[in-house]
Amino acid sequence: MNESRFLKLAPAMWLSGLALLILALAACPATADTIGDWDFTQGQHGWTGNAMVANSKITALGWEFDSTGNDPWLNAPTVQTTGAYSIVFTVRMSSTANAVGRIYWGAGDQSEPQSTGIDLVADGEFHEFSAVLPPLDKSQSIRFDPATSAGHIVIQSITIETAAPIDPPPFEPPHHPEPGGESPLSISSGSLSLTHYRQCWGGWVVAVGGAEMAASQDADHLGFIQDGVSRFVPLRGAVLSVGRDGNALVEAASFTDDLGGSWTLTRRFTPAPCEGAIDVRMRVRCDQTRSVIHVPWMTLFPGLGAYGAHKTQGMLAGTEYLADEPSSSKADLTTADSNRLVPDPQKLTFPLMALSAGGKCLGLSWTLSDMIAAVHDSPDRVYGSAAHLWGLWAPAVGPMRRENDLFATVPFALAAGETLQADMTLLGAPGDSVVPAVRQYIALRGLPAVPQYGRGFDDAVELLAVGYTQSDLYDGNGKWRPVVVGDRYNPSVSADAVINCLWLANHATNPATAARLRDAFTSGTAQLLVADPVFNSGTGHIRWPIANLLLGRIPENLAGRLASGLNNLALFDTDGIRHYIPTPGGTDYGSTHYADHANGYSASALEIALESAVLTGDANLAAQAIAMLDKQTALYADTVPRGAQTWEMPLHTPDILASAKLVHCYTLGYQLTGRKDLLEQAKYWAWTGVPFVYLDRSTGGAIGDYATIAVLGSSNWIVPCWIGSPVQWCGIVYAAWIERLAPLDPTGPWSQLAHGITVSGLQQSFPFSDASRRGLLPDSFTIKSQTRNNPAINPGTVMAGMPGLYGQARLCDFHRAAVTHWMITAPSPIRVYYEGQYGVTFTTRGWGDHPYSVLIANARFKPRVILTGPPGTPRERMTVPDVDYRQEDGWLILNNLVRDRQIVVQ
């Protein structure tokens, strides 16, 4: 019976699925010559370990030892290689350390560029793992790092072999499909259409809104190895059949290889449930067993015969986010990591390629599998097509294919009569950016379920509470470090830490935890009164402007914010450009960018001015800030988010923090003006942040969904490379501002995205068992090994998303009264019951028994204010609040409010 072998591996099965696949390779002539073969049940054979390899001994199980530190390694005896072929390194081992393995090579010093990762399983059971190394010249030293943590390890055997020689076919420029003798067949979905000219396999084109966007081609080959010889069969000469099957269009091809194997290939094109999408299912079958090294599921050339090598934007989610510029460039990465032609699937946040040109957007998505590698070259430098290259080819990067290799080195077994299958989807919509494809992907695939942290809200409160009061972050006397990394940072006052401790104390169910938090709040407040009486200090990446609404000195703080807002506007020239100026004697992070400015760099200053305008209600500041925001629209609408982290990243670097800050700017602009065009810009920039969020992973592990990579570049331009490495604090800043956008754009995915990102932050935080870093957020997280990396960041960043995630009162809210144009700010949600020419009636939520204030800015006359309890309170219980009115500034401050209040301002 024929079975369809494939496809979607659940994340938890990914590594084990690959391991099982490797076992099937025994029937394949995958290697040519053995370079080294060591059975460690018989001795160490000249292998040695470093100081982290302890209690070493040879047993009937193999070479047993304990890893005692974070960098154990094993040095092989010198091996002799020919330099002609790739190398297959295979180890059989068990481990209770982590699953982070790496192999180094070199005739001299060994470093990261001369290394490759190897996917391991650290469950204490024996498994066999393989990795492919490049051809190595002459005498080589090889080093195997089996882990980066403590644990017990047993190495049973290691084999190093040359891979079977691969003689790849030539990459010939593709021919654009053209009409022939038979009438073409077409299908469509929304504005997306596909037309097959019925002349050859792959002889079809894709159009959006009637404009051709991409073409398939007739130059594909199918590759296999038999008797140690690689064979590539051109599909151009296959017998073709194209027809309809219901609402589907089907192309089929058949051929017989030179060993008598009969092959059949089919592609079925079907309109997807989502408008503007066409599903593609391809199947491959041979009646004889074959050791396969290449299956071209789809090779597509966007721009072929149309707009050519140009584009408006291009994207491969997680690795590339491009304007009209080449992929795999060194504008953000100067190391080998800049090569993103065939990336490791763990670097992809979700499976989507997209490109826009001529006001149209095209996308290609697929179902993740160990049989699909994504190939992305924009423009195409592989075939020389003078267009762009998108490929989905088998097998995936991993044990059979090295990252960025166009062909696999190790074959996989396709049994006689077995069917191999891949599922893909073409997407198309109008648009001047890749955002339409991202929106279609979410509409089609949805978002993963929001993970659960522990037992929920109580556990999350306890985690952040211990971070603030029982980690090395806190000095025990009202001061906190911004991060924990040895003794590098001294504790200092922190207004946001003080406020967060109060909020956590009000929600802690453990009396001892609540008492510690209240002590920290009291001590921290006392320290602030001495060192920061205006309450501007903070350690978190998101600082809600509420410290003064809970601690006082509001007018003094507003005066400082007004000055700060005007100072930040002064950073821009008359055209709205904030020019990047390198630090004298420092790295010039603008040298690789095509301009000396970028949208994220500008937004970092403009958001301060806009927030100051909202808080102060100053008409002059608001007018200048909105005018500057309009200039940003003129400069940067429909562009790539870039340049928000120029303290260590190039100005050119695509950046989720830039998305976050731009969402914040335009949301504030909408709140100040009510202008719909500013809200549309906020939505656009929110969508630009989605490709940085892991929404479909190729790797297992409990932590990973909604993890966020920060940038498509590297820290300080060299090391580390942040592609594929979540830096969650950047994502949580993005989450904070898209959650503010959610009620303004209820059809968007913003609440679920924000909640998922916050939960991932909780999951990634150091656990209770880590005495010095408990409750703190790691600077980065390694998904494959599920490891947390220093430094450890204060809990204030994760804290920002806690209320929304668990349905608690929002920490800060703004409201602009439509008629009076009063700007209301409160340290809780504002719910408006009435607003009109006679004023506004609204409610606020309290902070337990702690008094708080509400600020009404732009109040040009002193209104009458009445307080009641919650809605429905009898009129006889109305009271007049403690009011501080500053007519010159237009500030009406309602002081000493406690718990929920209804406020009438007339």
Side-chain angles (χ1 to χ4, degrees), residues 63-122:
W63 182 7
E64 294 196 46
F65 57 88
D66 294 316
S67 169
T68 61
N70 62 6
D71 196 18
W73 71 65
L74 311 175
N75 285 309
T78 300
V79 295
Q80 299 295 322
T81 59
T82 64
Y85 308 123
S86 296
I87 305 298
V88 180
F89 180 101
T90 303
V91 57
R92 180 169 175 78
M93 61 178 286
S94 71
S95 175
T96 61
N98 63 23
V100 184
R102 200 156 192 87
I103 303 161
Y104 293 80
W105 60 84
D109 293 336
Q110 296 162 337
S111 58
E112 294 299 323
Q114 293 178 286
S115 70
T116 188
I118 180 169
D119 291 328
L120 306 175
V121 176

Side-chain angles (χ1 to χ4, degrees), residues 511-700:
T513 299
R516 287 195 307 272
L517 289 163
R518 293 191 187 281
D519 286 345
F521 170 75
T522 301
S523 299
T525 302
Q527 295 278 11
L528 284 172
L529 291 171
V530 174
D532 178 26
V534 188
F535 312 129
N536 273 330
S537 57
T539 53
H541 294 101
I542 303 165
R543 302 178 190 175
W544 304 118
I546 59 172
N548 298 88
L549 299 179
L550 293 160
L551 301 177
R553 298 185 64 81
I554 295 171
E556 293 84 353
N557 184 275
L558 291 177
R561 288 182 181 274
L562 180 58
S564 176
L566 292 169
N567 289 339
N568 275 275
L569 287 176
L571 298 173
F572 296 81
D573 69 12
T574 55
D575 295 322
I577 294 173
R578 182 190 178 196
H579 297 275
Y580 169 77
I581 301 173
T583 301
T587 302
D588 181 359
Y589 289 113
S591 64
T592 57
H593 195 38
Y594 47 75
D596 68 346
H597 55 92
N599 47 48
Y601 184 68
S602 296
S604 299
L606 186 54
E607 67 175 341
I608 296 171
L610 287 161
E611 186 175 79
S612 297
V614 167
L615 291 169
T616 65
D618 185 84
N620 175 53
L621 175 60
Q624 290 189 54
I626 292 299
M628 193 61 67
L629 186 61
D630 287 337
K631 290 179 179 179
Q632 305 311 296
T633 306
L635 287 165
Y636 303 120
D638 293 320
T639 61
V640 175
R642 301 186 190 274
Q645 300 187 57
T646 49
W647 59 87
E648 64 177 359
M649 307 285 180
L651 188 69
H652 181 271
T653 303
D655 186 348
I656 193 175
L657 202 59
S659 299
K661 291 177 178 293
L662 286 156
V663 173
H664 190 202
C665 285
Y666 281 101
T667 302
L668 289 169
Y670 175 71
Q671 289 179 308
L672 275 168
T673 65
R675 283 171 43 189
K676 297 295 185 182
D677 61 317
L678 299 181
L679 179 58
E680 290 304 310
Q681 286 296 309
K683 294 178 187 178
Y684 172 80
W685 292 111
W687 281 107
T688 67
V690 175
F692 296 85
V693 186
Y694 276 99
L695 301 176
D696 194 355
R697 293 182 290 143
S698 64
T699 51

Side-chain angles (χ1 to χ4, degrees), residues 403-434:
E403 186 172 18
N404 297 315
D405 275 3
L406 289 169
F407 293 100
T409 301
V410 177
F412 61 90
L414 179 64
E418 180 184 15
T419 298
L420 198 64
Q421 174 181 304
D423 285 334
M424 302 151 282
T425 302
L426 291 163
L427 305 167
D432 291 316
S433 72
V434 296

